[in-house]
Structure formats: structure tokens, C-alpha cells
Amino acid sequence: KKAGQLVFHILSEEENPRWPSQFLNDSLRHIETTRSLYLVPVLKNGLYGFMNEGGKLIIAPEFKNIHPDYLCGNITDDILILDDKLIAQNGSLVYRGKVDEVAELGIGFLKIKTGGHVKIIHKAGFVFADSVQEARVLSKRYLAIQKNNLWRLFTLTGRQLDAQAWEDITAFQEIVIFKRNNKYYIATKKQLATIAEGGGLIISEPFDDVKKWPYDLIWVKSGEFEGVLNQSLQTVMRYDKHILKQTFFGATAEVLNGVNLYNWAGQEASTFEQVNVFGPWVAVKKRQSWFLFEPHLQEIESIAYDTIKAEGPFVTGLLTDTVYVHFASNIRRLLIQPGNITFIPGKDSTSFLLIEGSDQMKSIYDIKGKKLFSATFDAIEYAGEEIFVFTRKDKKGLINAVGKILLSPEFDAIGSVKDRVVSLLKARRFGSYQIDQEKFIKPQYDRNLTPYTDQFLVIHKDGFYGFLGWENKPLSQFKFDEIKYWDDSVALVKKGAFWNFYNIASQKIIEGNLRHVSMIKNSPDEKVAIIQKDNTYGVISNERNVIIPASFSDIINLGSEELPLYFTEKHIAEASLFIVIYYDHSGQMLRKEIYEDEADYDKIYCSDN
């Protein structure tokens, strides 16, 4: 049974666990199927319990006290501290006794602090170790326990594997690393298994330093010797008197007469006089000439150059008066006596190269070596979405990726493209340009214009906000202090102290005089808000309209943003009653409680909303 619990919690932490046939008994299957997205507290007859996001009571109301943080719901902890007990999220008892702190170690193990002592326990309910300083789970196979400032290694069932004590014990994947007197010793899982079979601990020779490297490799050093090993402690990069430096392709090895290259498979290239790594490119010098080198294949992939230098993600090779530009996908272009070659940063992974010609024309190439266009300008920068901002005589203009000038250079500044719209500034006034529709609103407004939909914008004029069409015709009066997006036809507008839902087409308020609007969910798919009208609260959605009518004294979201769960309260002062109703994300009632005492209501109320 104990082994089954251990295996269950190990597999439960995997993304797609493969359960052995007939492994899940009723109790383990119950744990797996009753896991909740979150828990929410409830109070009945003065005792606390917990229900899940669907309103199902998971932990029965039998606890006198809970941590104040639990009152606000969305409890995702696997373990809860309740009345000197540790209770699992499914309601099962994990530990009985006073607990000050609890921390997850992984695969079902917990570290608890209680009365000045530290214990290691398992979620299945057994105590693994008592009165320890620290503990850690290693490789999902072992536990390292610290007592009296020394570490010892144990199996998951509590058997001490090694009688020796160490200054530290850590692990990297399947390798366990022991430290003593500032020296490091390494053992594989196979070597550690010999202890369980009655043998002694087999470990490596001492190293001065050990570090994790990518692809489950481990770098080791002893004196002037360095090397890289795999998880079986087999040599991948030769253990030798050299200096290894990690790179994207593997490592460079500095030796007395030059530099060697290793790829991640451990293949070694012959010694080069010099090596330069430019992002994804590797340049090597051999017999006084420079070459581009493919480190994964360990092959030279270019002709000999006099010099090689990087321009962002591009590489240029110079040979007498000729320049070869190397682009992505092994594309190379030959240029005879070119002018300056300049890298133009793009957005995300996009980049461009500017090459000056002898006729003052400048050409723009994309990252794959395709020539986009040629034009005359003083400077150029990428604005995003295949649009460039160019400069002539200190004025800005707009040009697209095929060289078509969209706006002549007459502006003081032009912003980046967002949703096919760019902001314009001229003489301290703001305008806007819609690229696809070629709609232009000349700079005449005192603040930046903000697109509300593809059809119209929000602008600021004479101290107030309003709506403007792309034909530069007002779609509303300019009388709002603030405007927020709700949906394409209805906006959330503020006038004075109140918020209103405003139909843009009819220019009418459809729901007004809202004292407060608190967004619960604000995603492109849906917006959900708790609203306050006069002294009552409700919940509305831009997709589902009214979720909870505005008829409650208070509403709090005890769930998550993705899946709300609403705590609602109606206070009937004449009867001194507090009626609490819980609703799910769709407005379906989950549970109702009535409290005749304000003190009881205060026990379940989340004050941090």
C-alpha cells in the first residue's frame, strides 16, 4: 500500500501519466478524479468546510478556524492547514498535529514546521523523518536529509543508502552529486543501486567543480583539466588540459595552439587559430583566412575571406573589394564595392539589412536575402507589419515592404504599427493612418488617437473624449472623461463620477449611473465585470449580458479569472439577516447560507476584495 501511494504521487506529477494496468485502486482513483481546479470556503453552524468550483462539498464543515487567506477562495493548494491538521484537497487526513508552515518538496513529500521542529511527511499520511534541518527530493528517486549540518541519502521508503555524511547532496537528472571538503563526487543511479544489493557506494574521483550543461550533460573540472560527461559518466567532450566554454552548438576548447570546437554529440573539429561566434553563425580562422563553419556538421561552409563580421543576424565576408552577405537558409549575395551595410532591427524574429549603392539609392533585404525595395532616404526603421518609417531632412514618412510610399515625409514622428494603424505627430498635434483602407486623419488633435474598432476611433478634444469615424466625422459628442472598450457596439464611458454603457450607433446610454465597474475577466474572448448601481451589485458580460442581476448588497469573485465563482450577499437590516448565495460562472446557484449573527457573517467574508 505504501509503495502504491509513492508511485501514485510520482506519476501524478507527470504531464501525461501512464498508469500501470489495474494500479488505480478505489482510493487512488478517488484522489485522481476528485481533484479540483480550486476550493472555496463555506461556513455552516459556525464551522468551515470547502466546496469546489462546481459547488460540490469536498471537505465537510467541521473546522473551527482557517487561515485568513482561505476566505478569498481560489485555493489551489493540495494541502490545507485546518485546526491542527493537514487536510488534502480531497478531504483526506494527511497529518494530525499543530503545523506552523508547510512546503511542497515534490512527488507527495512535504516539509512541515511544528513547534520549532521540522518533519518530513508524505501526503499518504506517514512520517518520513523527524527533527531535521532541511530536505530535498532528488531525481524523483531519493530524499536527501540534513541533520546536524550534514546530509545523508535515503530511498523514498526511508532506507538510508549510504552510511556516510556529506556537506551537500544534489542531483542532475539521473546523476547524484556529493560534496565533501569542497570536492565533488558523482554517482549514477546504477552505481547507487549496488548499495541496495549489498555493495558499497561507488563514486567518481573528486572534482573541484561540477556544473549542469544542456542536453543532460555535466561539465567537470579538476585542476587544469576539464571535460563533459553524459548521464552514464561517459566522456562526451574530452577530459583534458583545456578551457571549455559553452556555446549554442556545444563548446569551444581553448588549447595552447588555438581553439577546438565540439558539438553536442562530442564530435571535435580540428584546431583553429581563432573562433568568433556571432549568434547562429560561427567564424573560424585557419591559415590566415576566415571561413564560416557549420559546427553541428563540423564542416567549413564558405569560401576563404579576409575578414568576417556580423550585422545583427546577418554575416558579411570581405574578400578584396567584394562583399558576400550571408542570409538565413544558406543564401548568399555577392556585392561589388558596396557602400555601408547596416542592420535594421525588426519585431520578434524579423530583421532586415540595408545596403547602400553607389548611386545614393539604398536597398532593403529581408532575413532570407530577398530584396524588398530601393529608395532614397537619410534613415529608416521598421515599424512592424511590413511597414517602414523613413526619414528625409528630419521629417518622417511611411513606406511599405514593396517600396510604395504611403505617406510623404512631412511628420515630426510616426509610431509603430498596431492593428494596421499608425499614430502621427506634426507640430505637436496628433493624427492617424489606417494602412489597409488608406484612411488618413491629419494631425489636429491634442492627444493620441486610439482605434476602438476598424471603423472608428476614440479621440480627445476640448478636454473630453468622444468617437470619430475614419472620414474625420464625429460619431458622438465630446463629453466623456474616460472611454473603455466593452464590445464593438457598446462602450464603457465615464462621465463625472459615474460609468455608463453607451450604444455608439444610437448615441444612447443603455445602462447608466454605475458607481463602480470592476473587471473580473478582460480577455479578447469575453469581458466580465462586477457592477455597482446605487448600493446594489451585479455581474455582467459582453458576451452573455446579465449573469447576476444587480440586486445584492455585495459580490465577490472567489474563483479564478478564467472560471469565476461568485459570493453574493443580501443584507436584510430589519431582520438582521445576512443571506449568502454562491453562483457559478454562468450564474447558476450553487449554495445558500443564512446568517442571523453579523459575527458569523464576518467569519466567512473576504475583506481583501
Side-chain angles (χ1 to χ4, degrees):
K1 180 180 178 181
K2 185 176 181 180
Q5 293 275 10
L6 289 167
V7 172
F8 171 79
H9 284 282
I10 292 171
L11 291 177
S12 292
E13 290 194 2
E14 295 184 2
E15 188 172 344
N16 294 301
R18 297 177 62 185
W19 300 104
S21 177
Q22 300 180 336
F23 172 74
L24 289 175
N25 59 30
D26 290 341
S27 60
L28 296 182
R29 187 176 289 106
H30 178 71
I31 294 173
E32 187 65 16
T33 57
T34 57
R35 286 186 171 177
S36 304
L37 295 176
Y38 55 76
L39 295 180
V40 166
V42 296
L43 181 72
K44 189 174 184 65
N45 300 325
L47 297 175
Y48 292 100
F50 296 84
M51 66 180 180
N52 66 12
E53 68 280 354
K56 181 180 179 181
L57 194 64
I58 302 298
I59 300 176
E62 56 183 45
F63 300 98
K64 295 180 180 179
N65 300 289
I66 63 173
H67 194 282
D69 289 349
Y70 293 164
L71 290 175
C72 294
N74 197 19
I75 303 165
T76 57
D77 301 338
D78 281 345
I79 303 296
L80 285 72
I81 305 174
L82 303 170
D83 284 357
D84 294 338
K85 295 176 184 176
L86 289 183
I87 304 296
Q89 199 186 67
N90 68 340
S92 61
L93 177 68
V94 173
Y95 176 80
R96 188 185 301 274
K98 180 175 173 56
V99 174
D100 300 318
E101 293 181 31
V102 59
E104 295 263 2
L105 295 178
I107 61 171
F109 286 94
L110 304 169
K111 180 181 74 173
I112 63 172
K113 292 184 179 179
T114 169
H117 297 284
V118 175
K119 293 183 178 182
I120 308 303
I121 67 171
H122 193 271
K123 291 178 183 178
F126 63 86
V127 176
F128 183 90
D130 201 350
S131 299
V132 305
Q133 289 175 268
E134 192 54 85
R136 59 175 70 116
V137 171
L138 303 178
S139 305
K140 295 186 179 181
R141 293 177 177 274
Y142 320 99
L143 256 78
I145 302 293
Q146 185 187 36
K147 279 189 177 185
N148 302 320
N149 297 321
L150 294 173
W151 290 84
R152 290 174 172 82
L153 191 66
F154 294 82
T155 68
L156 299 183
T157 56
R159 177 179 174 181
Q160 186 172 338
L161 269 176
D162 176 28
Q164 302 180 65
W166 302 86
E167 292 173 10
D168 198 8
I169 304 176
T170 56
F172 175 49
Q173 299 297 91
E174 304 291 348
I175 290 176
V176 177
I177 304 165
F178 302 87
K179 183 181 180 183
R180 180 189 291 148
N181 297 327
N182 290 321
K183 297 288 185 180
Y184 297 88
Y185 304 83
I186 302 173
T188 66
K189 66 175 182 178
K190 186 175 181 180
Q191 290 170 333
L192 290 171
T194 62
I195 303 175
E197 296 168 355
L201 175 61
I202 302 172
I203 55 177
S204 68
E205 294 297 317
F207 297 105
D208 296 327
D209 201 2
V210 174
K211 291 180 181 177
K212 301 173 184 177
W213 272 28
Y215 302 102
D216 298 339
L217 301 178
I218 186 164
W219 169 88
V220 294
K221 179 180 181 181
S222 181
E224 296 182 280
F225 287 79
E226 299 180 22
V228 175
L229 312 174
N230 63 18
Q231 290 289 307
S232 299
L233 302 189
Q234 296 171 329
T235 300
V236 176
M237 298 180 193
R238 190 175 70 252
Y239 190 66
D240 206 342
K241 194 174 181 180
H242 52 197
I243 299 175
L244 292 171
K245 292 183 179 179
Q246 188 184 137
T247 65
F248 75 91
F249 57 82
T252 60
E254 295 182 16
V255 293
L256 288 176
N257 59 336
V259 182
N260 295 339
L261 300 182
Y262 288 94
N263 63 20
W264 289 118
Q267 294 174 309
E268 183 180 5
S270 58
T271 304
F272 298 104
E273 299 161 22
Q274 194 175 338
V275 174
N276 289 331
V277 179
F278 306 118
W281 304 92
V282 179
V284 298
K285 189 176 183 182
K286 193 170 186 177
R287 295 188 295 274
Q288 301 303 310
S289 292
W290 282 94
F291 304 86
L292 285 178
F293 185 78
E294 213 303 316
H296 301 294
L297 301 175
Q298 299 286 293
E299 295 177 353
I300 287 176
E301 60 174 356
S302 76
I303 62 174
Y305 295 116
D306 297 329
T307 59
I308 291 178
K309 69 175 185 176
E311 291 289 345
F314 309 95
V315 165
T316 59
L318 177 64
L319 185 61
T320 60
D321 62 347
T322 303
V323 174
Y324 293 84
V325 181
H326 290 260
F327 298 88
S329 304
N330 293 320
I331 295 172
R332 186 182 70 175
R333 282 189 173 273
L334 170 64
L335 305 173
I336 306 297
Q337 295 182 328
N340 292 330
I341 298 177
T342 308
F343 163 59
I344 302 175
K347 311 290 183 182
D348 302 322
S349 59
T350 307
S351 297
F352 305 90
L353 203 64
L354 183 153
I355 300 176
E356 296 184 14
S358 57
D359 55 356
Q360 296 187 339
M361 292 290 286
K362 298 173 183 177
S363 299
I364 304 296
Y365 292 81
D366 69 12
I367 198 166
K368 293 184 178 180
K370 177 185 176 183
K371 182 178 176 179
L372 301 181
F373 61 89
S374 295
T376 58
F377 46 78
D378 301 327
I380 194 165
E381 59 186 308
Y382 187 57
E385 301 183 28
E386 299 186 334
I387 302 295
F388 295 82
V389 175
F390 69 97
T391 303
R392 287 182 191 159
K393 297 180 180 180
D394 295 327
K395 293 297 181 179
K396 310 285 185 179
L398 214 59
I399 188 170
N400 66 15
V402 297
K404 178 183 178 182
I405 294 179
L406 306 178
L407 293 174
S408 60
E410 59 181 85
F411 303 96
D412 300 325
I414 298 179
S416 297
V417 181
K418 184 178 181 182
D419 299 327
R420 307 301 288 167
V421 174
V422 291
S423 296
L424 311 171
L425 179 68
K426 183 178 181 180
R428 298 185 179 181
R429 309 299 285 178
F430 291 89
S432 192
Y433 182 74
Q434 212 289 338
I435 296 166
D436 294 332
Q437 300 178 45
E438 298 185 359
K439 299 288 188 179
F440 172 55
I441 298 176
K442 67 179 182 179
Q444 57 187 291
Y445 297 101
D446 57 6
R447 293 189 187 179
N448 210 359
L449 286 67
T450 305
Y452 190 87
T453 68
D454 294 340
Q455 305 302 316
F456 51 88
L457 309 97
V458 173
I459 69 164
H460 190 267
K461 181 180 179 182
D462 301 328
F464 294 97
Y465 288 96
F467 296 96
L468 185 77
W470 277 107
E471 292 74 21
N472 203 19
K473 294 180 180 179
L475 299 180
S476 73
Q477 295 179 349
F478 298 97
K479 59 181 180 179
F480 304 117
D481 297 312
E482 194 174 346
I483 296 177
K484 292 183 178 181
Y485 181 84
W486 184 249
D487 63 29
D488 286 357
S489 59
V490 176
L492 188 57
V493 300
K494 188 177 185 182
K495 189 175 181 182
F498 295 97
W499 287 95
N500 308 276
F501 286 97
Y502 178 82
N503 186 289
I504 302 166
S506 66
Q507 300 188 28
K508 292 182 179 179
I509 291 174
I510 56 176
E511 181 69 52
N513 297 323
L514 303 177
R515 294 181 180 273
H516 191 67
V517 177
S518 176
M519 299 299 295
I520 292 174
K521 186 175 183 180
N522 193 5
S523 72
D525 297 330
E526 184 181 25
K527 297 183 184 300
V528 180
I530 296 176
I531 61 170
Q532 179 188 4
K533 186 170 185 178
D534 299 324
N535 293 317
T536 59
Y537 294 80
V539 179
I540 61 171
S541 161
N542 68 343
E543 290 291 322
R544 294 174 285 148
N545 299 319
V546 176
I547 296 176
I548 299 174
S551 59
F552 293 91
S553 307
D554 201 357
I555 297 181
I556 301 168
N557 177 24
L558 298 183
S560 62
E561 177 182 327
E562 296 77 19
L563 194 68
L565 189 153
Y566 302 105
F567 170 103
T568 71
E569 177 252 329
K570 276 189 178 181
H571 181 207
I572 304 176
E574 306 91 292
S576 298
L577 289 179
F578 295 85
I579 303 173
V580 173
I581 304 175
Y582 298 87
Y583 292 92
D584 71 6
H585 67 284
S586 65
Q588 297 295 313
M589 189 176 77
L590 300 175
R591 185 183 182 89
K592 180 168 71 173
E593 296 289 346
I594 299 176
Y595 302 106
E596 298 181 358
D597 190 336
E598 185 174 355
D600 282 341
Y601 172 72
D602 288 342
K603 288 181 180 179
I604 195 61
Y605 180 73
C606 167
S607 58
D608 296 334
N609 64 89

